[in-house]
Amino acid sequence: MADAQWWRTAAIYQIYIRSFADSDGDGIGDIAGIRSRLGYLAQLGVDAIWITPWYASPNNDGGYDVRDYRAIDPTYGDLREAELLIGEAHQHGLRVILDVVPNHTSTDHPWFQAALVAPPGSPERARYHFVDGRGSGGELPPNDWRSTFGGSAWQRVTEVDGEPGQWYLHLFDPSQADLNWSHPEVHREFLDILRFWFDRGVDGFRIDVATGLVKHPGYPDLGYREEDLLVLTNVPDHPHRDRDGVHAIYRDWRRLAGEYDPPRIFVAEAWVADSERLARYVAPGQLHTTFNFPFLQSAWDAGELSSVIESTLHAMSRVGAPPTWVLSNHDVERTVTRYGRADTRKQPGRSGHELGPVDIELGRRRARAAILLMLALPGVAYLYQGEELGLPDHMDIPVDRIQDPIWTRSGGRRRGRDGCRVPLPWTLDPKGAGFGSADPWLPQPHGWETHSVQSQLDDPTSTYHLVARALRIRRSLDPAPELEWVVRSDSVLRFRRGPALECIVNFGATEVPVPAGAVPLLRSDTIDVTPDPIGPDTAAWLRPRG
Ligand code: GLC
């Protein structure tokens, strides 16, 4: 664990804790569940885990509504167990990245509770965005900003005298109140929270809504309707996204991370379309890495993917940050489902049948090829739990079981993100598929156990074995060589990474021959190490002819 530069080339596995493994049978994943599967993750061959929020929370938004940043939610375990997990992960050679949620707290947080009973203009209210409404009696929201989950981004409170009063800002659910980052106490508190976890051996943080912390102090109208923040934007002087002020915050955070040995690291959740703006987050003295959402959002299309790869490499090398790659996470449809649609681009907040039919076999073939493409690229790769199993989304969650606040906030127009958050299948048990309980918090689709780890370990052709083999080869190669294009056409992407690896991805309808003399290493369509031509929607790794 000595390499301080590990974060430049790591393969990082995202654990959505609620759905990973349930040790006590209450239907919800937990820390003990993660501890029991560390061997699995080490065996798979990833270098680090990122665990989604595990803090004390009313869980209106999967834990992204934090009540206490220094306590573990009792459904997941306790602090002692968290410390055990961190130590055990390290023993398995796995680094641990947590999720910090600085844009908002739960409205159950003591600060917000204090603000509710304090008068307008009080120091308690100054830590959030409490603003008088418009209209003669303040009955209209202060401006036209919208919540990502639907409706106005403002909620009116009842003052202690029982009268309707000020409004507070929530760019997400009304139970997630935006913090006021122009308040010094907010800065101090988050530095202290980071220290609390760094002192316990945590290796880094993913920063939730990293672009959102600073708001325009005058709260001007946006002038148009914007429903979803989890889409790429590039709006100059936007009143609450990607404002210049956020960078001062991250310079402080970077300084703090650098005080540790080895230095701790950050990855920003930044939905920014312009790669130059994105590069500002990872400029010298700022964050280490940022998610590459243009890559995740791309269609299954050679031209689109190769231009994202090019612009990423260019923008990141200019600032000395490693490129990163991600195809799925807990907020978007899984690639197996998305790539099986007629339109393979990511669709914000929408999922399931509302987006039309899916050819799962086609989607899985493409998803397997996409994983080989991603793992052949230089830099950091993220895998979302279940991606190594080729899981599809659950398309038919009954509406009375939907948990995502997007469903209610959109008045039942958008089903939200539950389809990609279904509890993992570990065994062939038809009841609960070995997740840990027969009736998990989100229902699993019929036949889920056929995708299980158990069945895939026994099947050498499985997506699990493909990913494990790819990770093993990736680890054995020199991570340094840059990407060098050999072919960049509408139907084929072919590139080299030094003398040891060439990757060919066929996006077209006809077969592509394997170059003469190249040594086959791995294929997305077959376990055979074969020089056969590469079929449509298939990727191959080769050692180029010397
Ligand atoms: C991030 C999280 C998402 C959450 C939102 C609000 O985008 O990934 O799951 O709903 O922030 O915290």
Side-chain angles (χ1 to χ4, degrees), residues 14 16 50 61-65 99 101 103-104 148-149 172-173 176 206 208-209 229-230 269 271 329-331 404-405 417 421:
Q14 179 189 354
Y16 191 75
W50 147 37
D61 182 27
Y64 286 96
D65 46 326
D99 214 316
V101 188
N103 182 65
H104 42 261
T148 299
F149 298 157
F172 293 88
D173 194 63
Q176 295 164 299
R206 175 237 188 216
D208 189 62
V209 196
L229 296 182
L230 307 186
E269 188 209 19
W271 288 89
N329 65 29
H330 65 292
D331 290 325
D404 189 342
R417 303 158 293 177
R421 298 175 173 179

PDB file of all heavy atoms in Angstrom, residues 14 16 50 61-65 99 101 103-104 148-149 172-173 176 206 208-209 229-230 269 271 329-331 404-405 417 421, ligand 1:
ATOM      1  N   GLN A  14     -17.387   0.863  -7.067  1.00  0.00           N
ATOM      2  CA  GLN A  14     -18.386   1.605  -6.294  1.00  0.00           C
ATOM      3  C   GLN A  14     -19.330   0.664  -5.571  1.00  0.00           C
ATOM      4  O   GLN A  14     -20.013  -0.156  -6.205  1.00  0.00           O
ATOM      5  CB  GLN A  14     -19.200   2.530  -7.208  1.00  0.00           C
ATOM      6  CG  GLN A  14     -20.262   3.295  -6.415  1.00  0.00           C
ATOM      7  CD  GLN A  14     -21.246   4.057  -7.260  1.00  0.00           C
ATOM      8  OE1 GLN A  14     -21.105   4.131  -8.481  1.00  0.00           O
ATOM      9  NE2 GLN A  14     -22.254   4.621  -6.608  1.00  0.00           N
ATOM     10  N   TYR A  16     -22.710   0.598  -3.562  1.00  0.00           N
ATOM     11  CA  TYR A  16     -23.944   1.254  -3.112  1.00  0.00           C
ATOM     12  C   TYR A  16     -24.403   0.433  -1.904  1.00  0.00           C
ATOM     13  O   TYR A  16     -25.014  -0.630  -2.051  1.00  0.00           O
ATOM     14  CB  TYR A  16     -24.976   1.247  -4.246  1.00  0.00           C
ATOM     15  CG  TYR A  16     -26.164   2.136  -3.966  1.00  0.00           C
ATOM     16  CD1 TYR A  16     -26.052   3.518  -4.070  1.00  0.00           C
ATOM     17  CD2 TYR A  16     -27.384   1.600  -3.583  1.00  0.00           C
ATOM     18  CE1 TYR A  16     -27.138   4.348  -3.804  1.00  0.00           C
ATOM     19  CE2 TYR A  16     -28.470   2.423  -3.315  1.00  0.00           C
ATOM     20  CZ  TYR A  16     -28.340   3.796  -3.440  1.00  0.00           C
ATOM     21  OH  TYR A  16     -29.410   4.617  -3.168  1.00  0.00           O
ATOM     22  N   TRP A  50     -15.196   2.606  -3.354  1.00  0.00           N
ATOM     23  CA  TRP A  50     -15.859   3.862  -2.969  1.00  0.00           C
ATOM     24  C   TRP A  50     -17.205   3.449  -2.409  1.00  0.00           C
ATOM     25  O   TRP A  50     -17.985   2.786  -3.091  1.00  0.00           O
ATOM     26  CB  TRP A  50     -15.973   4.804  -4.167  1.00  0.00           C
ATOM     27  CG  TRP A  50     -17.209   5.668  -4.172  1.00  0.00           C
ATOM     28  CD1 TRP A  50     -17.825   6.245  -3.098  1.00  0.00           C
ATOM     29  CD2 TRP A  50     -17.981   6.051  -5.319  1.00  0.00           C
ATOM     30  NE1 TRP A  50     -18.928   6.954  -3.507  1.00  0.00           N
ATOM     31  CE2 TRP A  50     -19.044   6.859  -4.844  1.00  0.00           C
ATOM     32  CE3 TRP A  50     -17.868   5.806  -6.699  1.00  0.00           C
ATOM     33  CZ2 TRP A  50     -20.001   7.403  -5.707  1.00  0.00           C
ATOM     34  CZ3 TRP A  50     -18.822   6.348  -7.544  1.00  0.00           C
ATOM     35  CH2 TRP A  50     -19.873   7.150  -7.053  1.00  0.00           C
ATOM     36  N   ASP A  61     -33.007  10.092   0.419  1.00  0.00           N
ATOM     37  CA  ASP A  61     -32.332  10.048  -0.887  1.00  0.00           C
ATOM     38  C   ASP A  61     -31.103   9.152  -0.780  1.00  0.00           C
ATOM     39  O   ASP A  61     -29.970   9.589  -1.022  1.00  0.00           O
ATOM     40  CB  ASP A  61     -31.962  11.470  -1.340  1.00  0.00           C
ATOM     41  CG  ASP A  61     -31.301  11.481  -2.713  1.00  0.00           C
ATOM     42  OD1 ASP A  61     -31.583  10.556  -3.514  1.00  0.00           O
ATOM     43  OD2 ASP A  61     -30.513  12.403  -2.987  1.00  0.00           O
ATOM     44  N   GLY A  62     -31.342   7.904  -0.403  1.00  0.00           N
ATOM     45  CA  GLY A  62     -30.265   6.921  -0.351  1.00  0.00           C
ATOM     46  C   GLY A  62     -29.069   7.351   0.492  1.00  0.00           C
ATOM     47  O   GLY A  62     -27.935   7.004   0.162  1.00  0.00           O
ATOM     48  N   GLY A  63     -29.305   8.127   1.556  1.00  0.00           N
ATOM     49  CA  GLY A  63     -28.209   8.524   2.438  1.00  0.00           C
ATOM     50  C   GLY A  63     -27.524   9.821   2.021  1.00  0.00           C
ATOM     51  O   GLY A  63     -26.641  10.305   2.739  1.00  0.00           O
ATOM     52  N   TYR A  64     -27.918  10.377   0.867  1.00  0.00           N
ATOM     53  CA  TYR A  64     -27.361  11.674   0.459  1.00  0.00           C
ATOM     54  C   TYR A  64     -28.081  12.818   1.188  1.00  0.00           C
ATOM     55  O   TYR A  64     -28.101  13.948   0.724  1.00  0.00           O
ATOM     56  CB  TYR A  64     -27.425  11.843  -1.062  1.00  0.00           C
ATOM     57  CG  TYR A  64     -26.382  10.994  -1.771  1.00  0.00           C
ATOM     58  CD1 TYR A  64     -26.703   9.742  -2.288  1.00  0.00           C
ATOM     59  CD2 TYR A  64     -25.070  11.430  -1.878  1.00  0.00           C
ATOM     60  CE1 TYR A  64     -25.740   8.956  -2.910  1.00  0.00           C
ATOM     61  CE2 TYR A  64     -24.106  10.651  -2.496  1.00  0.00           C
ATOM     62  CZ  TYR A  64     -24.437   9.424  -3.005  1.00  0.00           C
ATOM     63  OH  TYR A  64     -23.483   8.653  -3.611  1.00  0.00           O
ATOM     64  N   ASP A  65     -28.694  12.463   2.296  1.00  0.00           N
ATOM     65  CA  ASP A  65     -29.372  13.426   3.164  1.00  0.00           C
ATOM     66  C   ASP A  65     -28.849  13.127   4.579  1.00  0.00           C
ATOM     67  O   ASP A  65     -29.412  12.318   5.291  1.00  0.00           O
ATOM     68  CB  ASP A  65     -30.895  13.279   3.062  1.00  0.00           C
ATOM     69  CG  ASP A  65     -31.398  11.833   3.127  1.00  0.00           C
ATOM     70  OD1 ASP A  65     -30.711  10.913   2.638  1.00  0.00           O
ATOM     71  OD2 ASP A  65     -32.488  11.622   3.706  1.00  0.00           O
ATOM     72  N   ASP A  99     -17.900   8.968   0.660  1.00  0.00           N
ATOM     73  CA  ASP A  99     -18.671   9.950  -0.087  1.00  0.00           C
ATOM     74  C   ASP A  99     -18.934  11.113   0.867  1.00  0.00           C
ATOM     75  O   ASP A  99     -19.510  10.895   1.939  1.00  0.00           O
ATOM     76  CB  ASP A  99     -20.008   9.276  -0.473  1.00  0.00           C
ATOM     77  CG  ASP A  99     -20.551   9.702  -1.797  1.00  0.00           C
ATOM     78  OD1 ASP A  99     -20.519  10.902  -2.072  1.00  0.00           O
ATOM     79  OD2 ASP A  99     -21.025   8.826  -2.550  1.00  0.00           O
ATOM     80  N   VAL A 101     -20.888  14.757   1.452  1.00  0.00           N
ATOM     81  CA  VAL A 101     -22.046  15.456   0.878  1.00  0.00           C
ATOM     82  C   VAL A 101     -22.063  16.887   1.422  1.00  0.00           C
ATOM     83  O   VAL A 101     -22.724  17.181   2.417  1.00  0.00           O
ATOM     84  CB  VAL A 101     -23.360  14.715   1.245  1.00  0.00           C
ATOM     85  CG1 VAL A 101     -24.556  15.304   0.491  1.00  0.00           C
ATOM     86  CG2 VAL A 101     -23.243  13.217   0.965  1.00  0.00           C
ATOM     87  N   ASN A 103     -22.943  19.812  -0.230  1.00  0.00           N
ATOM     88  CA  ASN A 103     -23.855  20.803  -0.806  1.00  0.00           C
ATOM     89  C   ASN A 103     -25.080  21.029   0.084  1.00  0.00           C
ATOM     90  O   ASN A 103     -25.623  22.117   0.127  1.00  0.00           O
ATOM     91  CB  ASN A 103     -24.315  20.360  -2.195  1.00  0.00           C
ATOM     92  CG  ASN A 103     -25.220  21.391  -2.844  1.00  0.00           C
ATOM     93  OD1 ASN A 103     -24.793  22.503  -3.148  1.00  0.00           O
ATOM     94  ND2 ASN A 103     -26.486  21.056  -3.007  1.00  0.00           N
ATOM     95  N   HIS A 104     -25.480  19.954   0.785  1.00  0.00           N
ATOM     96  CA  HIS A 104     -26.708  20.057   1.576  1.00  0.00           C
ATOM     97  C   HIS A 104     -26.633  19.108   2.765  1.00  0.00           C
ATOM     98  O   HIS A 104     -25.890  18.128   2.735  1.00  0.00           O
ATOM     99  CB  HIS A 104     -27.931  19.702   0.725  1.00  0.00           C
ATOM    100  CG  HIS A 104     -27.714  18.507  -0.165  1.00  0.00           C
ATOM    101  ND1 HIS A 104     -27.390  18.619  -1.501  1.00  0.00           N
ATOM    102  CD2 HIS A 104     -27.728  17.178   0.084  1.00  0.00           C
ATOM    103  CE1 HIS A 104     -27.222  17.424  -2.027  1.00  0.00           C
ATOM    104  NE2 HIS A 104     -27.430  16.516  -1.079  1.00  0.00           N
ATOM    105  N   THR A 148     -33.716  19.402  -8.753  1.00  0.00           N
ATOM    106  CA  THR A 148     -33.336  18.314  -9.659  1.00  0.00           C
ATOM    107  C   THR A 148     -34.408  17.236  -9.725  1.00  0.00           C
ATOM    108  O   THR A 148     -34.575  16.565 -10.732  1.00  0.00           O
ATOM    109  CB  THR A 148     -32.053  17.655  -9.113  1.00  0.00           C
ATOM    110  OG1 THR A 148     -31.057  18.635  -9.085  1.00  0.00           O
ATOM    111  CG2 THR A 148     -31.596  16.504  -9.960  1.00  0.00           C
ATOM    112  N   PHE A 149     -35.085  17.050  -8.611  1.00  0.00           N
ATOM    113  CA  PHE A 149     -36.067  15.965  -8.542  1.00  0.00           C
ATOM    114  C   PHE A 149     -37.466  16.417  -8.962  1.00  0.00           C
ATOM    115  O   PHE A 149     -38.412  15.640  -8.918  1.00  0.00           O
ATOM    116  CB  PHE A 149     -36.122  15.395  -7.118  1.00  0.00           C
ATOM    117  CG  PHE A 149     -34.825  14.783  -6.647  1.00  0.00           C
ATOM    118  CD1 PHE A 149     -34.555  14.658  -5.291  1.00  0.00           C
ATOM    119  CD2 PHE A 149     -33.875  14.321  -7.550  1.00  0.00           C
ATOM    120  CE1 PHE A 149     -33.363  14.082  -4.846  1.00  0.00           C
ATOM    121  CE2 PHE A 149     -32.684  13.756  -7.123  1.00  0.00           C
ATOM    122  CZ  PHE A 149     -32.431  13.637  -5.765  1.00  0.00           C
ATOM    123  N   PHE A 172     -32.165  19.679  -4.338  1.00  0.00           N
ATOM    124  CA  PHE A 172     -32.608  18.282  -4.498  1.00  0.00           C
ATOM    125  C   PHE A 172     -33.939  18.129  -3.761  1.00  0.00           C
ATOM    126  O   PHE A 172     -34.825  18.956  -3.924  1.00  0.00           O
ATOM    127  CB  PHE A 172     -31.486  17.334  -4.043  1.00  0.00           C
ATOM    128  CG  PHE A 172     -30.285  17.409  -4.971  1.00  0.00           C
ATOM    129  CD1 PHE A 172     -29.273  18.338  -4.778  1.00  0.00           C
ATOM    130  CD2 PHE A 172     -30.208  16.585  -6.085  1.00  0.00           C
ATOM    131  CE1 PHE A 172     -28.203  18.443  -5.663  1.00  0.00           C
ATOM    132  CE2 PHE A 172     -29.142  16.679  -6.976  1.00  0.00           C
ATOM    133  CZ  PHE A 172     -28.138  17.605  -6.760  1.00  0.00           C
ATOM    134  N   ASP A 173     -34.061  17.134  -2.908  1.00  0.00           N
ATOM    135  CA  ASP A 173     -35.338  16.913  -2.215  1.00  0.00           C
ATOM    136  C   ASP A 173     -35.561  18.020  -1.161  1.00  0.00           C
ATOM    137  O   ASP A 173     -34.595  18.565  -0.633  1.00  0.00           O
ATOM    138  CB  ASP A 173     -35.264  15.533  -1.535  1.00  0.00           C
ATOM    139  CG  ASP A 173     -36.612  15.057  -1.079  1.00  0.00           C
ATOM    140  OD1 ASP A 173     -37.495  14.844  -1.934  1.00  0.00           O
ATOM    141  OD2 ASP A 173     -36.800  14.895   0.155  1.00  0.00           O
ATOM    142  N   GLN A 176     -33.432  17.920   1.819  1.00  0.00           N
ATOM    143  CA  GLN A 176     -31.993  18.182   1.642  1.00  0.00           C
ATOM    144  C   GLN A 176     -31.800  19.687   1.487  1.00  0.00           C
ATOM    145  O   GLN A 176     -31.950  20.228   0.391  1.00  0.00           O
ATOM    146  CB  GLN A 176     -31.465  17.452   0.403  1.00  0.00           C
ATOM    147  CG  GLN A 176     -31.515  15.926   0.514  1.00  0.00           C
ATOM    148  CD  GLN A 176     -31.359  15.229  -0.833  1.00  0.00           C
ATOM    149  OE1 GLN A 176     -32.173  15.415  -1.734  1.00  0.00           O
ATOM    150  NE2 GLN A 176     -30.324  14.418  -0.971  1.00  0.00           N
ATOM    151  N   ARG A 206     -15.093  10.935  -2.437  1.00  0.00           N
ATOM    152  CA  ARG A 206     -15.837  11.373  -3.602  1.00  0.00           C
ATOM    153  C   ARG A 206     -16.677  12.556  -3.122  1.00  0.00           C
ATOM    154  O   ARG A 206     -17.311  12.496  -2.066  1.00  0.00           O
ATOM    155  CB  ARG A 206     -16.740  10.241  -4.095  1.00  0.00           C
ATOM    156  CG  ARG A 206     -17.662  10.630  -5.246  1.00  0.00           C
ATOM    157  CD  ARG A 206     -19.087  10.366  -4.865  1.00  0.00           C
ATOM    158  NE  ARG A 206     -20.014  10.527  -5.980  1.00  0.00           N
ATOM    159  CZ  ARG A 206     -21.238  11.027  -5.847  1.00  0.00           C
ATOM    160  NH1 ARG A 206     -21.680  11.415  -4.670  1.00  0.00           N
ATOM    161  NH2 ARG A 206     -22.035  11.130  -6.883  1.00  0.00           N
ATOM    162  N   ASP A 208     -19.761  14.803  -3.449  1.00  0.00           N
ATOM    163  CA  ASP A 208     -21.104  14.845  -4.022  1.00  0.00           C
ATOM    164  C   ASP A 208     -21.436  16.269  -4.488  1.00  0.00           C
ATOM    165  O   ASP A 208     -21.154  17.235  -3.771  1.00  0.00           O
ATOM    166  CB  ASP A 208     -22.100  14.405  -2.932  1.00  0.00           C
ATOM    167  CG  ASP A 208     -23.491  14.198  -3.461  1.00  0.00           C
ATOM    168  OD1 ASP A 208     -23.668  13.319  -4.318  1.00  0.00           O
ATOM    169  OD2 ASP A 208     -24.414  14.909  -3.014  1.00  0.00           O
ATOM    170  N   VAL A 209     -22.046  16.393  -5.660  1.00  0.00           N
ATOM    171  CA  VAL A 209     -22.468  17.693  -6.205  1.00  0.00           C
ATOM    172  C   VAL A 209     -21.343  18.729  -6.071  1.00  0.00           C
ATOM    173  O   VAL A 209     -21.551  19.853  -5.584  1.00  0.00           O
ATOM    174  CB  VAL A 209     -23.761  18.202  -5.528  1.00  0.00           C
ATOM    175  CG1 VAL A 209     -24.397  19.319  -6.347  1.00  0.00           C
ATOM    176  CG2 VAL A 209     -24.786  17.099  -5.329  1.00  0.00           C
ATOM    177  N   LEU A 229     -30.069  18.311 -12.447  1.00  0.00           N
ATOM    178  CA  LEU A 229     -28.682  18.766 -12.350  1.00  0.00           C
ATOM    179  C   LEU A 229     -27.700  17.685 -12.781  1.00  0.00           C
ATOM    180  O   LEU A 229     -26.537  17.962 -12.996  1.00  0.00           O
ATOM    181  CB  LEU A 229     -28.352  19.185 -10.916  1.00  0.00           C
ATOM    182  CG  LEU A 229     -29.129  20.371 -10.380  1.00  0.00           C
ATOM    183  CD1 LEU A 229     -28.663  20.711  -8.985  1.00  0.00           C
ATOM    184  CD2 LEU A 229     -28.943  21.574 -11.278  1.00  0.00           C
ATOM    185  N   LEU A 230     -28.165  16.446 -12.879  1.00  0.00           N
ATOM    186  CA  LEU A 230     -27.252  15.367 -13.243  1.00  0.00           C
ATOM    187  C   LEU A 230     -27.180  15.225 -14.767  1.00  0.00           C
ATOM    188  O   LEU A 230     -27.278  14.149 -15.320  1.00  0.00           O
ATOM    189  CB  LEU A 230     -27.663  14.056 -12.577  1.00  0.00           C
ATOM    190  CG  LEU A 230     -27.842  14.126 -11.057  1.00  0.00           C
ATOM    191  CD1 LEU A 230     -28.107  12.752 -10.481  1.00  0.00           C
ATOM    192  CD2 LEU A 230     -26.639  14.741 -10.372  1.00  0.00           C
ATOM    193  N   GLU A 269     -17.644  14.832  -8.150  1.00  0.00           N
ATOM    194  CA  GLU A 269     -18.820  14.591  -8.992  1.00  0.00           C
ATOM    195  C   GLU A 269     -19.169  15.919  -9.659  1.00  0.00           C
ATOM    196  O   GLU A 269     -19.779  16.791  -9.049  1.00  0.00           O
ATOM    197  CB  GLU A 269     -20.018  14.107  -8.165  1.00  0.00           C
ATOM    198  CG  GLU A 269     -21.169  13.679  -9.070  1.00  0.00           C
ATOM    199  CD  GLU A 269     -22.565  13.847  -8.485  1.00  0.00           C
ATOM    200  OE1 GLU A 269     -22.731  14.609  -7.515  1.00  0.00           O
ATOM    201  OE2 GLU A 269     -23.501  13.235  -9.007  1.00  0.00           O
ATOM    202  N   TRP A 271     -20.782  17.524 -13.036  1.00  0.00           N
ATOM    203  CA  TRP A 271     -21.482  17.378 -14.323  1.00  0.00           C
ATOM    204  C   TRP A 271     -21.236  18.637 -15.152  1.00  0.00           C
ATOM    205  O   TRP A 271     -22.112  19.486 -15.278  1.00  0.00           O
ATOM    206  CB  TRP A 271     -22.976  17.144 -14.102  1.00  0.00           C
ATOM    207  CG  TRP A 271     -23.308  15.794 -13.560  1.00  0.00           C
ATOM    208  CD1 TRP A 271     -23.379  15.436 -12.236  1.00  0.00           C
ATOM    209  CD2 TRP A 271     -23.602  14.604 -14.307  1.00  0.00           C
ATOM    210  NE1 TRP A 271     -23.702  14.101 -12.139  1.00  0.00           N
ATOM    211  CE2 TRP A 271     -23.847  13.568 -13.391  1.00  0.00           C
ATOM    212  CE3 TRP A 271     -23.687  14.324 -15.681  1.00  0.00           C
ATOM    213  CZ2 TRP A 271     -24.166  12.275 -13.786  1.00  0.00           C
ATOM    214  CZ3 TRP A 271     -24.000  13.041 -16.078  1.00  0.00           C
ATOM    215  CH2 TRP A 271     -24.241  12.026 -15.131  1.00  0.00           C
ATOM    216  N   ASN A 329     -23.179   4.254 -12.736  1.00  0.00           N
ATOM    217  CA  ASN A 329     -23.177   4.481 -11.292  1.00  0.00           C
ATOM    218  C   ASN A 329     -24.621   4.389 -10.798  1.00  0.00           C
ATOM    219  O   ASN A 329     -25.504   3.968 -11.552  1.00  0.00           O
ATOM    220  CB  ASN A 329     -22.492   5.814 -10.941  1.00  0.00           C
ATOM    221  CG  ASN A 329     -23.252   7.034 -11.467  1.00  0.00           C
ATOM    222  OD1 ASN A 329     -24.475   7.008 -11.612  1.00  0.00           O
ATOM    223  ND2 ASN A 329     -22.531   8.100 -11.757  1.00  0.00           N
ATOM    224  N   HIS A 330     -24.839   4.775  -9.534  1.00  0.00           N
ATOM    225  CA  HIS A 330     -26.159   4.589  -8.930  1.00  0.00           C
ATOM    226  C   HIS A 330     -27.185   5.618  -9.398  1.00  0.00           C
ATOM    227  O   HIS A 330     -28.313   5.617  -8.899  1.00  0.00           O
ATOM    228  CB  HIS A 330     -26.011   4.658  -7.408  1.00  0.00           C
ATOM    229  CG  HIS A 330     -25.560   6.027  -6.965  1.00  0.00           C
ATOM    230  ND1 HIS A 330     -24.306   6.521  -7.254  1.00  0.00           N
ATOM    231  CD2 HIS A 330     -26.198   7.010  -6.300  1.00  0.00           C
ATOM    232  CE1 HIS A 330     -24.196   7.753  -6.771  1.00  0.00           C
ATOM    233  NE2 HIS A 330     -25.339   8.071  -6.187  1.00  0.00           N
ATOM    234  N   ASP A 331     -26.800   6.527 -10.279  1.00  0.00           N
ATOM    235  CA  ASP A 331     -27.724   7.553 -10.752  1.00  0.00           C
ATOM    236  C   ASP A 331     -28.182   7.345 -12.189  1.00  0.00           C
ATOM    237  O   ASP A 331     -29.025   8.111 -12.670  1.00  0.00           O
ATOM    238  CB  ASP A 331     -27.057   8.942 -10.674  1.00  0.00           C
ATOM    239  CG  ASP A 331     -26.857   9.426  -9.250  1.00  0.00           C
ATOM    240  OD1 ASP A 331     -27.717   9.123  -8.394  1.00  0.00           O
ATOM    241  OD2 ASP A 331     -25.846  10.103  -8.993  1.00  0.00           O
ATOM    242  N   ASP A 404     -37.076   6.096  -5.024  1.00  0.00           N
ATOM    243  CA  ASP A 404     -36.376   7.313  -5.437  1.00  0.00           C
ATOM    244  C   ASP A 404     -37.308   8.517  -5.321  1.00  0.00           C
ATOM    245  O   ASP A 404     -38.410   8.509  -5.878  1.00  0.00           O
ATOM    246  CB  ASP A 404     -35.905   7.146  -6.890  1.00  0.00           C
ATOM    247  CG  ASP A 404     -34.974   8.272  -7.330  1.00  0.00           C
ATOM    248  OD1 ASP A 404     -34.957   9.335  -6.668  1.00  0.00           O
ATOM    249  OD2 ASP A 404     -34.261   8.087  -8.336  1.00  0.00           O
ATOM    250  N   PRO A 405     -36.855   9.595  -4.624  1.00  0.00           N
ATOM    251  CA  PRO A 405     -37.726  10.779  -4.490  1.00  0.00           C
ATOM    252  C   PRO A 405     -38.114  11.406  -5.834  1.00  0.00           C
ATOM    253  O   PRO A 405     -39.095  12.149  -5.903  1.00  0.00           O
ATOM    254  CB  PRO A 405     -36.894  11.758  -3.648  1.00  0.00           C
ATOM    255  CG  PRO A 405     -35.499  11.234  -3.620  1.00  0.00           C
ATOM    256  CD  PRO A 405     -35.592   9.752  -3.885  1.00  0.00           C
ATOM    257  N   ARG A 417     -34.207   6.383 -10.355  1.00  0.00           N
ATOM    258  CA  ARG A 417     -32.964   5.627 -10.478  1.00  0.00           C
ATOM    259  C   ARG A 417     -32.973   4.274  -9.773  1.00  0.00           C
ATOM    260  O   ARG A 417     -31.934   3.628  -9.666  1.00  0.00           O
ATOM    261  CB  ARG A 417     -31.835   6.509  -9.924  1.00  0.00           C
ATOM    262  CG  ARG A 417     -31.738   7.858 -10.622  1.00  0.00           C
ATOM    263  CD  ARG A 417     -31.023   8.896  -9.781  1.00  0.00           C
ATOM    264  NE  ARG A 417     -31.803   9.240  -8.597  1.00  0.00           N
ATOM    265  CZ  ARG A 417     -31.402  10.083  -7.647  1.00  0.00           C
ATOM    266  NH1 ARG A 417     -30.226  10.661  -7.735  1.00  0.00           N
ATOM    267  NH2 ARG A 417     -32.165  10.338  -6.609  1.00  0.00           N
ATOM    268  N   ARG A 421     -30.358   0.200  -8.849  1.00  0.00           N
ATOM    269  CA  ARG A 421     -29.947   0.100  -7.441  1.00  0.00           C
ATOM    270  C   ARG A 421     -30.435  -1.181  -6.766  1.00  0.00           C
ATOM    271  O   ARG A 421     -30.444  -1.289  -5.546  1.00  0.00           O
ATOM    272  CB  ARG A 421     -30.501   1.306  -6.672  1.00  0.00           C
ATOM    273  CG  ARG A 421     -29.982   2.624  -7.175  1.00  0.00           C
ATOM    274  CD  ARG A 421     -30.632   3.791  -6.473  1.00  0.00           C
ATOM    275  NE  ARG A 421     -29.984   5.053  -6.854  1.00  0.00           N
ATOM    276  CZ  ARG A 421     -30.344   6.251  -6.426  1.00  0.00           C
ATOM    277  NH1 ARG A 421     -31.379   6.378  -5.594  1.00  0.00           N
ATOM    278  NH2 ARG A 421     -29.700   7.330  -6.818  1.00  0.00           N
TER     279      ARG A 421
HETATM  280  C1  GLC B   1     -25.493  13.123  -6.306  1.00  0.00           C
HETATM  281  C2  GLC B   1     -25.744  11.677  -5.983  1.00  0.00           C
HETATM  282  C3  GLC B   1     -27.204  11.405  -6.120  1.00  0.00           C
HETATM  283  C4  GLC B   1     -27.946  12.300  -5.141  1.00  0.00           C
HETATM  284  C5  GLC B   1     -27.598  13.761  -5.358  1.00  0.00           C
HETATM  285  C6  GLC B   1     -28.033  14.622  -4.205  1.00  0.00           C
HETATM  286  O1  GLC B   1     -25.747  13.428  -7.614  1.00  0.00           O
HETATM  287  O2  GLC B   1     -24.968  10.866  -6.809  1.00  0.00           O
HETATM  288  O3  GLC B   1     -27.502  10.068  -5.886  1.00  0.00           O
HETATM  289  O4  GLC B   1     -29.319  12.139  -5.306  1.00  0.00           O
HETATM  290  O5  GLC B   1     -26.203  13.952  -5.457  1.00  0.00           O
HETATM  291  O6  GLC B   1     -27.197  14.424  -3.105  1.00  0.00           O
END
